[in-house]
Amino acid sequence: MSGLGRVHSVGLNAFAADVIEIQANISNGLPGFIISGSADTSLREAKDRVRAAIGNSGAKFPEKKIVVALAPANLPKSGAGFDLPMAISVLIATGQAQTTLLGETVLVGELALDGRVRPVRGVLPLLLGARAAGFRRAVVPVGNVREATLVDGLDIGGADSLSDVVAWLAGDRALDTVSDTESGPSPAPIPDMTDVVGQPAARHALEVAAAGAHHVLMTGPPGIGKTMLACRLPGILPPLGHDESLEVTAIHSVAGMLPAHRPLIETPPFIAPHHSASITSLLGGGTGMARPGSVSRAHRGVLFLDECAEMGAKVLDSLRQPLEDGVVRVSRRDGTASYPARFQLVLAANPCPCAPANDVDCVCTSIVRRRYLGKLSGPLMDRVDIRVHMEPPGNTALMTEQGESTAVVAARVAHARAAAQERWAEHGWLTNAEVPGSALRRRYRLAPEAMRPIEAFLGQGRITARGADRALRLSWTLADLRGSERPDTDDVAQALMYRDRGTGR
């Protein structure tokens, strides 16, 4: 006696989803359970979970030779999300489950020993891949239903247990769907810009950075407001568009960091790793296929590196390629993982190790000061568009001055972003920071008089060719903020000043 069961699931290869066909063959022979098809340790352990879940769900586990094959065999497969489809394929092979509804259905879920279906990470990118492959239905754990329903064009069913799925296949019950009555705690509000006293130059620099998604370096003594300003940057950024929200949500889903009650990320993420973070935690890594790191979780948002001068030089230089390409590629045992990483970098640093409140009280030698910020290499700094040195506010400003609110600044940023999106819409660029330098130098080339400051800086060796392109991008943002159609000489000169300002080195 032999039987064959076949179902479909979806597996993640880094950020790419692949449809996986799962076949279970039951045959006479020495009882055993074999899983083939480039399965990792967590997947090979699934045979014990599947055996116990089937037995504890009221079905009979066959005491025969069982071979479960996951195809294509050359694709690496990992995780416990294949538990549910493997169990169903075994039940189909033994005639204990129906196949009528499985033709256009994918199944995803981890099994507990008592037959319950546990949530898994990465459901959103998995189902986006299933929809692209032509599937119309998906069965997922109830805990993932809210996330799964973000995918349009798929009928979603949430299962509490293996027996629920078997009953659904037999037509005896309907699977649960998301309940709109359930709600979780609201996200913490973003602090307001009015909390920052003084610092008009730094506030304006942050507004320019937000309008064009430019990278910023803030230096100054401790307690001056660098971290306060950085933490308020997400409040002045426009909310994410629909496609951006799905992309950001998918990355956080793969990382396993989505809140169950509010899965869709609609605001730009703010990621602030500790200054002791390693290259792996920033770029991504782990055994097998690399998981997304901080730069990917900050996609379409802000990556804030406080006390960046305390970080290792190699760690900081590892950001150079993601800053340039908007993609991070991490090579591991099972292949190269590519994740989106179009983030806005904000760096904050003290001018020296002793960092007194007043610079005249510094006890560091010139060599020590130069070496402290020397970790910020030239190639990395060449990718930072705005550099601002912050000075302590006066006593009067500290007690009486109040700056503009987040809402006022956000309105100007939104207007500038909208102008940039309309201008670059035919090319698919969302911000000025994404525009290639070749486009700025050819199709959107400025008037000769506006280009003269850049030509002068290039001739004097004060900027590189990359720096010239970044200054052009920044000048377009300055023009958008003042409502002009094209940058003029003043915009270009101001952009060059932002790049040429000292950092305390």
Side-chain angles (χ1 to χ4, degrees), residues 149 191 215 278 353 362 456 458 476:
T149 53
H215 310 308
S278 65
C362 177
L458 281 170
W476 278 98

Side-chain angles (χ1 to χ4, degrees), residues 473-502:
R473 296 180 186 123
L474 189 56
S475 67
W476 278 98
T477 301
L478 292 167
D480 290 336
L481 278 172
R482 63 182 182 84
S484 176
E485 291 188 1
R486 296 181 72 85
D488 57 18
T489 306
D490 290 340
D491 295 322
V492 175
Q494 187 177 352
L496 290 169
M497 286 179 60
Y498 270 127
R499 291 188 57 83
D500 200 43
R501 287 176 178 173

Side-chain angles (χ1 to χ4, degrees), residues 190 233-241 244-245 248 252 265-271 297-302 344 417:
I190 300 174
L233 177 57
I236 64 176
L237 294 174
L240 300 176
E244 294 174 279
S245 292
V248 173
H252 285 249
I265 298 176
E266 299 176 297
T267 57
F270 181 81
I271 307 298
R297 291 188 287 113
H299 180 61
R300 296 299 178 190
V302 178
Q344 186 172 351
R417 282 274 186 121

Side-chain angles (χ1 to χ4, degrees), residues 19 104 129-137 154:
V19 174
E104 297 178 314
R131 184 185 65 181
F135 287 89
R136 297 175 54 190
R137 286 186 297 269
L154 278 181

Side-chain angles (χ1 to χ4, degrees), residues 294-427:
S294 297
V295 298
S296 297
R297 291 188 287 113
H299 180 61
R300 296 299 178 190
V302 178
L303 178 67
F304 176 48
L305 299 183
D306 199 6
E307 304 293 349
C308 63
E310 300 290 343
M311 303 181 74
K314 290 185 178 180
V315 176
L316 290 169
D317 281 338
S318 69
L319 298 173
R320 285 153 55 175
Q321 180 263 328
L323 285 174
E324 197 69 24
D325 299 339
V327 175
V328 60
R329 300 176 183 88
V330 185
S331 296
R332 284 296 183 270
R333 180 197 67 198
D334 292 338
T336 299
S338 296
Y339 291 104
R342 183 70 67 180
F343 58 91
Q344 186 172 351
L345 179 65
V346 178
L347 301 169
N350 297 324
C352 65
C354 73
N358 282 320
D359 204 44
V360 295
D361 297 327
C362 177
V363 297
C364 300
T365 65
S366 59
I367 296 177
V368 170
R369 289 176 67 97
R370 192 178 301 114
R371 187 175 297 160
Y372 186 67
L373 287 177
K375 293 180 181 179
L376 305 174
S377 66
L380 175 63
M381 290 304 301
D382 202 29
R383 292 165 168 82
V384 177
D385 304 327
I386 299 175
R387 309 171 193 180
V388 56
H389 185 72
M390 300 169 62
E391 300 290 348
N395 295 334
T396 304
L398 190 62
M399 303 304 297
T400 62
E401 188 173 327
Q402 184 174 356
E404 292 178 314
S405 68
T406 291
V408 174
V409 179
R412 292 198 297 266
V413 170
H415 186 269
R417 282 274 186 121
Q421 285 190 19
E422 183 179 356
R423 179 172 58 248
W424 313 123
E426 60 178 298
H427 306 287

